[in-house]
Amino acid sequence: MAKPQLYYFNARGLTETIRYIFEEKQVDYEDIRFERSEEEAVKAGLPKTAVKEIVFEELNKKGYLDFNQVPVLLIDGHHLVQSNAIAQYIARKYDLYGKDNLEAYVIDEILGGIQDVRVGFFAAFRLPEEKRNEAFAEFAKEQLPKHLAFLENILKRNNGGDGYLVGNDVTLGDLSLLGLFDFINSRAAGALAHFPKLKALNDRVAARPNIAAWRARRPNTQN
């Protein structure tokens, strides 16, 4: 059977949770990255053809760009799109979606909370470049603490927040939070300082052997 193939920009972005799942479960997959221009591709050490225009043309010809965007995952003879849908599919496939419907619900609840945070940050990306940093700072100061408090309260429901999101082992919820924390730390360093349970979870998941090994060797990208 062919290896899963994951197509995305040379970035963590919306796809790092998917990579975390594959790395945690030691799945042999192809991490196919590309840049927006040939110059950026060469600078990143990628092939000259690892350019959005070329990759999108190839994927589109095969009918894989359902929403004309990435990520795209080829797995089990299918093409999957939309980052959350992909993560949920492979989390179920590799037993990272909790042991029952209630645990799966809590994971979905966390995914919804994570999406709320991302929407707030992504609104800043749509602004003119000269206004983005101010918008990031305003969201980090005014809104982010509220969202992090919601997430920490959910975490505390299980073992007082001293283990994982549900049960006694890592799930999609924990790996998704780690992906979110990666993003937060790149845009609002220190934001977790007032949320010790979330900070401890971040450290606990990041220290898992397979995750730590991936974080040590993954490409050094800005986000």
Side-chain angles (χ1 to χ4, degrees):
M1 183 176 292
K3 297 179 185 178
Q5 294 179 314
L6 177 64
Y7 290 82
Y8 193 63
F9 292 102
N10 184 33
R12 298 167 195 169
L14 297 173
T15 305
E16 198 65 6
T17 296
I18 298 167
R19 297 185 183 114
Y20 280 149
I21 293 170
F22 283 144
E23 296 295 337
E24 171 65 22
K25 303 303 285 189
Q26 290 292 275
V27 177
D28 187 14
Y29 73 107
E30 292 184 55
D31 186 17
I32 301 171
R33 297 169 178 251
F34 54 89
E35 291 281 2
R36 298 183 185 276
S37 69
E38 181 178 316
E39 181 181 358
E40 290 174 315
V42 171
K43 185 177 179 180
L46 298 171
K48 289 184 178 181
T49 54
V51 176
K52 176 186 175 181
E53 182 179 355
I54 296 173
V55 174
F56 268 50
E57 182 179 3
E58 174 190 341
L59 293 174
N60 196 43
K61 283 180 179 178
K62 295 177 180 178
Y64 293 162
L65 294 181
D66 294 7
F67 294 89
N68 197 37
Q69 61 188 21
V70 288
V72 171
L73 177 66
L74 307 184
I75 189 171
D76 298 336
H78 306 288
H79 74 276
L80 309 183
V81 300
Q82 295 289 356
S83 55
N84 276 348
I86 294 171
Q88 289 166 307
Y89 178 96
I90 61 175
R92 291 187 180 98
K93 179 179 176 68
Y94 298 114
D95 298 320
L96 288 170
Y97 221 113
K99 70 178 186 299
D100 56 32
N101 286 340
L102 181 58
E103 289 192 356
Y105 160 77
V106 175
I107 292 168
D108 289 342
E109 184 182 18
I110 283 288
L111 294 181
I114 289 171
Q115 184 63 18
D116 290 342
V117 177
R118 290 192 180 278
V119 166
F121 271 115
F122 288 169
F125 278 111
R126 300 187 184 98
L127 296 174
E129 189 171 354
E130 64 273 13
K131 296 183 178 180
R132 286 178 195 166
N133 287 339
E134 181 181 350
F136 283 133
E138 181 178 354
F139 179 79
K141 180 181 178 181
E142 302 295 333
Q143 300 298 323
L144 183 59
K146 300 175 186 178
H147 290 289
L148 293 179
F150 295 151
L151 295 172
E152 186 164 81
N153 286 337
I154 295 171
L155 175 62
K156 288 178 180 177
R157 295 176 191 169
N158 187 50
N159 296 320
D162 293 327
Y164 294 101
L165 179 63
V166 297
N168 296 308
D169 205 353
V170 72
T171 65
L172 169 61
D174 306 292
L175 297 173
S176 296
L177 283 171
L178 183 62
L180 175 67
F181 298 154
D182 282 346
F183 181 79
I184 288 175
N185 288 332
S186 72
R187 295 292 176 179
L192 294 180
H194 300 294
F195 301 93
K197 298 292 186 180
L198 289 180
K199 175 65 166 59
L201 177 68
N202 174 83
D203 296 343
R204 189 158 49 249
V205 178
R208 291 178 68 86
N210 294 340
I211 298 298
W214 165 245
R215 287 163 67 90
R217 74 174 191 277
R218 68 185 176 185
N220 183 20
T221 57
Q222 195 171 32
N223 57 62

